[in-house]
Amino acid sequence: MTEHTLTVAGVAVDPRHWIGGERVASAGTFTDVSPVDGRALGEIARGTPAEAVAAVAAAKAAFPAWAATPRAERARILHAIADGVEERLEELAIVETTDNGALLRSHRRGVMPRVAHNFRFFADRSLTLDHEDFETRGHTNHVSWDPAGPCVLITPWNAPLMLATWKIAPALAAGNTVVLKPAEWSPLTASLLADIAAEAGLPAGVLNVVQGYGSEIGDALTSHPDVRRISFTGSVPTARRIAASAAPHLTPLSLELGGKSPLLVFADADLDLAVDLAVEQYDNAGQVCLAATRILVEETVAEEFTRRFAEKAGALVQGDPREEATDIGPTIHPRQLEKIDGFVRRAVEAGARAVVGGHRVEERYYAPTLLTGVAQDSEIVQEEVFGPVLTLQTFADEDEAVRLADDTRFGLAATLVTGDRERADRVAGRLTAGTVWVNCFFVRDLRAPFGGSRHSGVGREGGTWSFDFYCDLKNTVTAPKGWNGHG
């Protein structure tokens, strides 16, 4: 333990950057505050463009050797990182809960095991990257995935380590080097990951972590001429700024942005299942990009659905996320809480009715909320709230359901509940969404493509699609003759 180390929930965390295999301080700091109790956790190094440029330089310097490292050796190191995550799972879980307020039980049972799985899956997948050779007039075509170079990865605060490693693991497995910029509201587990990666034998400079505000260091990272890939998860306005910054160098982008996803409930659905899936949208206090925040219910069952929903939502336990019985924890930050409350207040003023919730709970919580009487073109239906706020609308038939579902600028996901398989296939085919769940929610397989349509994103990651993004694909065409200089 050094003089710089913070102690967070009994765990030592270094608040400095990780650049070129060393801890690097900044002249300034910012205060990291826990949403659990509002307590200051410590002062975090506040990056400047100088640290951002240094991190890219370290990634560039480390790239040739890491790119030349055999895939099997890279995979071995990624598995060692996964081992380290599993060994420190409890520490990672409690630190992340303290830092971002998500449920400790979820971090223990789902999120941190997924972090380890991210490394294992992409490590193994890199070893199977292959495309069958094919011939053109006797010439052989051979497709290969070549490492692209230094990658800048910018990640959000709602699932910090899981979403960071969803990007880091394939980038490293592909042979690239990484500069990670974690969200300033939840930076701590990124720092712990840097320690774990170093202990696992990841060479210096292959993974770098720069903390701070995007407004202060973002452009230095995304406009840098040596950066070969940028992957960002966050808001549409920030994505526009990143795209503009990357444009002069034509740096390829992968953007996973917001959502305003629908949940369609047909009259032939299992209503208990539909209610369960709807209430599940309050997961992580509604701070989930995939959440189906627009509930669309066939009008003949809407009254019964609403009654059952209100009963089930009313039984949810809101409180300390470290407690096993808690279902909904706090909102990440007072600024986010104010944003959520503003959305609801304006909706009610416009004529909406809060069937469930509709108000703050103490200083750090927002009550699970369901609003009815909302217009399709209203702000509350069209804009992402990113909090525990759902709307309920009704539809008369399948055509109206699809029209309402697709009538936003987003297209990240959709969920539909029906007892008719033919209808499920028909409606799923008509919906604009990167992922459609039928009679289920949040079932994710790393082999599948993930991303959004329209304003919900650009590109797909997951499975081979991740390597398609993080690599330069090459086709080598070889003539059947001519090895000795003669035809």
Side-chain angles (χ1 to χ4, degrees):
M1 187 172 294
T2 71
E3 60 178 316
H4 301 282
T5 305
L6 307 177
T7 301
V8 178
V11 180
V13 183
D14 198 311
R16 296 173 294 176
H17 313 293
W18 179 255
I19 300 174
E22 296 180 350
R23 289 292 175 179
V24 176
S26 289
T29 62
F30 64 92
T31 305
D32 186 24
V33 176
S34 173
V36 176
D37 54 14
R39 181 172 57 88
L41 299 175
E43 296 300 308
I44 310 299
R46 183 170 176 169
T48 69
E51 284 88 49
V53 169
V56 174
K60 181 182 179 181
F63 173 68
W66 183 245
T69 301
R71 285 187 192 177
E73 176 60 11
R74 294 200 300 257
R76 184 194 67 77
I77 294 175
L78 264 61
H79 273 288
I81 295 174
D83 291 341
V85 168
E86 290 172 347
E87 289 168 5
R88 300 187 66 179
L89 189 146
E90 182 64 22
E91 293 181 1
L92 291 166
I94 188 60
V95 168
E96 188 141 298
T97 288
T98 305
D99 204 18
N100 87 330
L103 299 185
L104 179 57
R105 72 177 193 226
S106 295
H107 282 138
R108 283 171 170 159
R109 299 172 191 171
V111 177
M112 294 309 161
R114 163 68 187 274
V115 168
H117 181 56
N118 283 343
F119 283 107
R120 297 198 193 283
F121 173 85
F122 287 108
D124 293 341
R125 191 62 171 231
S126 70
L127 301 178
T128 64
L129 280 179
D130 188 36
H131 190 291
E132 184 178 348
D133 289 352
F134 54 97
E135 292 196 359
T136 306
R137 299 189 301 277
H139 296 64
T140 300
N141 293 262
H142 177 72
V143 177
S144 59
W145 285 260
D146 294 348
C151 302
V152 166
L153 312 179
I154 303 172
T155 53
W157 45 259
N158 58 321
L161 194 58
M162 189 270 283
L163 291 177
T165 56
W166 160 253
K167 301 174 187 293
I168 292 169
L172 296 184
N176 300 318
T177 52
V178 164
V179 178
L180 173 67
K181 193 281 178 193
E184 59 268 23
W185 285 353
S186 55
L188 299 181
T189 49
S191 180
L192 292 176
L193 179 66
D195 294 335
I196 291 170
E199 292 165 5
L202 191 70
V206 174
L207 172 64
N208 306 275
V209 180
V210 181
Q211 300 150 157
Y213 295 101
S215 59
E216 297 176 351
I217 61 174
D219 188 66
L221 293 171
T222 57
S223 68
H224 200 294
D226 292 331
V227 171
R228 294 291 179 260
R229 295 290 187 274
I230 300 170
S231 181
F232 168 71
T233 298
S235 72
V236 172
T238 302
R240 290 194 181 105
R241 292 194 292 271
I242 290 172
S245 178
H249 300 294
L250 297 178
T251 309
L253 299 167
S254 178
L255 304 174
E256 195 270 279
L257 308 177
K260 195 69 181 176
S261 301
L263 191 160
L264 291 73
V265 180
F266 290 92
D268 58 16
D270 177 337
L271 275 194
D272 287 334
L273 171 63
V275 167
D276 287 345
L277 294 176
V279 172
E280 192 176 343
Q281 309 310 311
Y282 292 132
D283 182 50
N284 200 18
Q287 300 168 134
V288 178
C289 60
L290 289 165
T293 56
R294 294 184 296 129
I295 312 299
L296 307 175
V297 185
E298 193 161 354
E299 56 191 21
T300 57
V301 295
E303 183 177 347
E304 178 63 15
F305 173 89
T306 304
R307 184 189 67 78
R308 295 191 198 184
F309 179 94
E311 182 178 337
K312 191 170 186 66
L316 294 173
V317 176
Q318 189 164 32
D320 190 325
R322 297 166 296 188
E323 298 294 332
E324 183 72 16
T326 299
D327 298 307
I328 300 178
T331 300
I332 180 79
H333 193 278
R335 195 161 72 206
Q336 185 66 16
L337 186 65
E338 184 62 33
K339 176 184 174 185
I340 295 166
D341 192 47
F343 270 112
V344 174
R345 283 189 286 102
R346 290 189 297 273
V348 171
E349 289 168 2
R353 184 169 72 94
V355 176
V356 177
H359 55 85
R360 301 186 194 209
V361 179
E362 299 178 351
E363 297 180 4
R364 291 176 292 277
Y365 302 86
Y366 203 85
T369 296
L370 178 68
L371 300 175
T372 61
V374 295
Q376 179 63 24
D377 62 355
S378 64
E379 177 192 55
I380 197 68
V381 169
Q382 294 293 326
E383 299 298 326
E384 185 178 43
V385 177
F386 221 65
V389 178
L390 311 180
T391 60
L392 189 147
Q393 298 167 272
T394 63
F395 60 84
D397 55 30
E398 194 173 295
D399 286 339
E400 186 179 19
V402 172
R403 179 180 64 78
L404 292 173
D406 277 352
D407 187 23
T408 73
R409 62 194 171 105
F410 297 103
L412 186 55
T415 302
L416 64 100
V417 192
T418 177
D420 185 331
R421 180 176 294 275
E422 291 184 359
R423 166 177 277 160
D425 292 342
R426 190 168 58 242
V427 172
R430 297 176 65 188
L431 294 172
T432 301
T435 300
V436 178
W437 285 290
V438 179
N439 294 336
C440 62
F441 176 66
F442 219 172
V443 178
R444 290 283 309 278
D445 191 310
L446 296 188
R447 295 171 294 182
F450 179 75
S453 303
R454 300 191 292 207
H455 283 202
S456 285
V458 176
R460 296 291 186 272
E461 295 185 41
T464 303
W465 292 272
S466 285
F467 291 99
D468 289 347
F469 173 69
Y470 287 109
C471 293
D472 287 325
L473 270 73
K474 180 190 294 178
N475 185 39
T476 302
V477 184
T478 304
K481 298 181 180 179
W483 295 107
N484 60 1
H486 301 289

